[in-house]
Amino acid sequence: MPAPVCQDKSYTFKDMTGITSKEKYLGDPTKTDWVMDGHAVPYKNSLLLTMAPSTVGTVLATSRYLWYGNVKARFKTGRGKGVVTAFILLSDVKDEIDYEYVGVDLKTAQTNYYYQGITNCKSPSTYPSAFNPILTPTRQRRR
């Protein structure tokens, strides 16, 4: 199927409406808004992404692509050593922007960015030394 273009929408997660498990998703974004890997449950007019034993946690991903625009999310962090709560923009070619909290330091957000999966960024002319959430995605995608 062609890449499904993102639409201007706001989402609230009061129940599991519009969420499909990755095992049941067949690639048609008109059938669901979100694809879930793991287990989530409705909790106090929100969605609780669980971290079941012997798993790495739950991932919730949109069924559409974001070509440009503005993305906002409001979430609460998980607590505990080794627990990471993250909001990630990720492309099929492994361009990635992460905004994450590590469970032992909930007052400090950490950011990472990758261009086509390259994690060892050495060239300052190619990879900005400071993370800029406004300029970085555009600059990286044009290279």
Side-chain angles (χ1 to χ4, degrees):
M1 295 188 100
V5 178
C6 194
Q7 298 172 342
D8 185 16
K9 287 190 174 187
S10 292
Y11 298 97
T12 56
F13 297 101
K14 295 182 180 183
D15 56 31
M16 300 296 287
T17 302
I19 300 172
T20 303
S21 73
K22 76 173 189 173
E23 289 83 17
K24 294 180 181 177
Y25 182 62
L26 300 176
D28 184 354
T30 64
K31 303 289 183 197
T32 192
D33 293 315
W34 299 93
V35 180
M36 179 178 59
D37 183 7
H39 184 70
V41 292
Y43 179 77
K44 295 184 179 179
N45 286 325
S46 297
L47 194 62
L48 180 63
L49 305 182
T50 67
M51 191 168 169
S54 302
T55 71
V56 295
T58 299
V59 174
L60 190 64
T62 180
S63 63
R64 298 192 172 269
Y65 282 63
L66 172 68
W67 297 107
Y68 57 88
N70 185 334
V71 178
K72 296 177 186 176
R74 184 172 54 183
F75 58 92
K76 291 185 179 182
T77 60
R79 292 164 176 27
K81 187 175 182 178
V83 176
V84 177
T85 302
F87 185 83
I88 302 171
L89 300 174
L90 177 65
S91 76
D92 289 344
V93 296
K94 298 184 182 179
D95 291 339
E96 182 175 333
I97 300 170
D98 300 351
Y99 185 83
E100 51 195 39
Y101 288 90
V102 178
V104 295
D105 182 12
L106 299 178
K107 294 182 180 182
T108 306
Q110 298 180 21
T111 58
N112 301 301
Y113 61 95
Y114 306 105
Y115 171 69
Q116 295 185 348
I118 299 169
T119 59
N120 186 5
C121 303
K122 293 182 179 178
S123 172
S125 62
T126 305
Y127 304 98
S129 59
F131 178 76
N132 183 329
I134 304 300
L135 299 177
T136 303
T138 304
R139 185 174 190 186
Q140 289 183 344
R141 288 198 180 269
R142 289 187 179 161
R143 292 193 183 270

